[in-house]
Amino acid sequence: MFFYGTLCHRPLLSRVLGRSEAALDLTPARLGDYAVHWAEGESFPLIRAVPGAVVEGLCLEGVDAQARARLDYYEGGYGFGVSEVTVETPGGLRAARVYRPEGSGLRPGVAWNLADWQARWGEVTTLAAEEVMLGFPGRDPAVNARRYRMILARAAARIRARAMSPATLRRPTRPGDIEEFARSQPYANFFAVEEYDFRHRRFDGEWSPPVNRAAFFTSDAATVLPYDPARDAVLLIEQFRVGPYGRGDSECWSLEAIAGLVDPGETPEATVRREAVEEAGVTVGRLHPVYGYYPSPGAKTEFIYSYVGEADLHDGVGGLGGLAAEGEDIRAHVVGFDRAMDLVETGEIGNAPLILSLLWLARNRERLRASG
């Protein structure tokens, strides 16, 4: 196999093949009369015939049936097929196979640069490959392509999760504290469910018995509560939510803070600024971090970053909003701070990120009003 793009990144190729990096038999190779470009608007490259051009890449030797099946699975969902080519290697000309887009509608952008891709996308794409390959061989590869944006977002969340956090009262997690025996992904669509068989260190230092647990996977999310210190008012949004509907709640429209999933390559701060415009037509200024938290750590991987954002909530703010392309139907309300707290007390606000943000604002409101 001749690789010219992301699979030249050894950690990624290792995940796809299920081999250690040391076991990869790779040699430098050149493919004539082709050029590689970024796929326009995407995080991966495409190759096309260009007379006189040369592509520098790598050849993988020893591609047995299992390796070919894993590579076909990884590439197959994205409209890439295999072509026969001749490449130049240190040992002479060799026949090889190369993955090329087939009727994908992709357009070439600027010239491809592996180092640039590695710096921005290498780590997150490598982690994403782990989730993609959990579906091998039974899941249709097209499912991976359809949900790849969410797979990348979850991989980015795993990278953010590595940041050290305090362990002054709780037990610190040390290397070797958790021994995993098996991992599977029995459900995968926009969201996913993973199951684990593992054991962990107990508080007395002994090992727990083997246990089976499942986790519901989303990406990280971020929320913002717009607050106008001069008017002492906040902006709340209202929309239909399937959670209350599925529970059988008497009220299925929910009052919330502005929220959105953190896209791959995006910071939580950028997420809330983008979502404020999309959902309510509001530009937020200075952001005040509220808390970062797991809303349901016993079952969900979701981690939420919440903020209060200063904004000018003049008389023209509010009304209907949301992105029609995402099926959003959102109504924005500007209410006084005291009115918002009354809605918490009566239970009309039952959304945890909004409640936490309002309680944080209650504690810091006078400071914000004085500094404004």
Side-chain angles (χ1 to χ4, degrees):
M1 296 296 305
F2 174 75
F3 301 129
Y4 57 85
T6 62
L7 288 176
C8 290
H9 185 55
R10 289 172 180 263
L12 174 59
L13 184 59
S14 170
R15 299 297 201 285
V16 173
L17 292 175
R19 302 178 183 175
S20 69
E21 291 185 47
L24 299 178
D25 187 7
L26 294 166
T27 57
R30 292 160 53 93
L31 175 61
D33 295 325
Y34 283 88
V36 182
H37 300 260
W38 286 87
E40 195 171 80
E42 303 290 349
S43 59
F44 55 84
L46 59 85
I47 192 169
R48 63 192 185 107
V50 177
V54 175
V55 174
E56 303 282 348
L58 296 172
C59 265
L60 175 68
E61 306 290 342
V63 183
D64 57 19
Q66 174 74 357
R68 175 67 187 272
R70 292 179 67 93
L71 287 165
D72 286 350
Y73 181 82
Y74 183 74
E75 296 283 351
Y78 309 100
F80 280 61
V82 175
S83 297
E84 304 287 337
V85 294
T86 300
V87 297
E88 181 185 348
T89 72
L93 297 179
R94 297 286 303 278
R97 297 181 177 93
V98 63
Y99 288 103
R100 296 177 57 190
E102 296 180 343
S104 62
L106 297 171
R107 299 178 57 183
V110 299
W112 165 258
N113 184 287
L114 178 63
D116 289 346
W117 176 86
Q118 287 172 323
R120 183 175 180 187
W121 294 105
E123 186 177 23
V124 70
T125 303
T126 300
L127 286 174
E130 292 184 6
E131 181 172 345
V132 169
M133 297 309 295
L134 280 175
F136 176 80
R139 184 178 301 141
D140 186 341
V143 174
N144 298 324
R146 188 171 63 246
R147 51 193 285 270
Y148 192 60
R149 177 174 171 271
M150 280 298 293
I151 293 175
L152 279 176
R154 284 193 284 272
R158 290 176 62 186
I159 293 172
R160 284 190 295 272
R162 294 173 181 168
M164 295 298 294
S165 57
T168 60
L169 177 62
R170 60 181 169 175
R171 184 189 192 280
T173 304
R174 301 182 179 90
D177 279 350
I178 303 160
E179 183 180 1
E180 184 179 294
F181 309 122
R183 175 184 299 216
S184 64
Q185 195 178 68
Y187 172 82
N189 205 325
F190 186 75
F191 300 118
V193 173
E194 289 190 5
E195 284 195 3
Y196 314 97
D197 293 305
F198 65 95
R199 64 177 184 169
H200 63 83
R201 288 291 182 186
R202 294 161 43 94
F203 289 117
D204 61 9
E206 299 298 318
W207 283 105
S208 73
V211 296
N212 174 269
R213 295 288 185 269
F216 182 85
F217 268 72
T218 68
S219 67
D220 288 351
T223 75
V224 63
L225 176 64
Y227 174 61
D228 187 331
R231 294 175 175 84
D232 196 26
V234 295
L235 183 141
L236 314 177
I237 64 166
E238 176 187 1
Q239 59 185 317
F240 173 85
R241 286 303 199 187
V242 73
Y245 173 77
R247 180 172 176 258
D249 202 300
S250 63
E251 300 297 337
C252 296
W253 273 259
S254 175
L255 292 171
E256 305 175 357
I258 292 166
L261 301 179
V262 182
D263 283 341
E266 186 178 53
T267 65
E269 294 85 353
T271 299
V272 296
R273 293 187 186 280
R274 170 176 55 79
E275 292 288 346
V277 174
E278 292 177 2
E279 294 190 352
V282 171
T283 300
V284 294
R286 184 167 49 168
L287 289 172
H288 302 276
V290 176
Y291 303 110
Y293 51 93
Y294 291 95
S296 185
K300 296 186 66 179
T301 65
E302 181 182 39
F303 189 86
I304 298 178
Y305 301 85
S306 286
Y307 301 88
V308 166
E310 297 183 26
D312 178 9
L313 303 180
H314 55 80
D315 291 342
V317 172
L320 303 182
L323 292 181
E326 296 184 5
E328 293 179 334
D329 178 40
I330 295 172
R331 180 166 61 170
H333 304 270
V334 175
V335 300
F337 173 80
D338 291 336
R339 169 69 169 145
M341 294 304 294
D342 287 342
L343 293 169
V344 173
E345 294 299 325
T346 64
E348 189 167 346
I349 289 178
N351 174 270
L354 176 55
I355 292 172
L356 286 173
S357 297
L358 284 168
L359 292 177
W360 182 93
L361 184 55
R363 185 175 182 180
N364 294 275
R365 172 170 156 244
E366 293 306 320
R367 174 176 61 84
L368 297 188
R369 298 192 75 188
S371 64

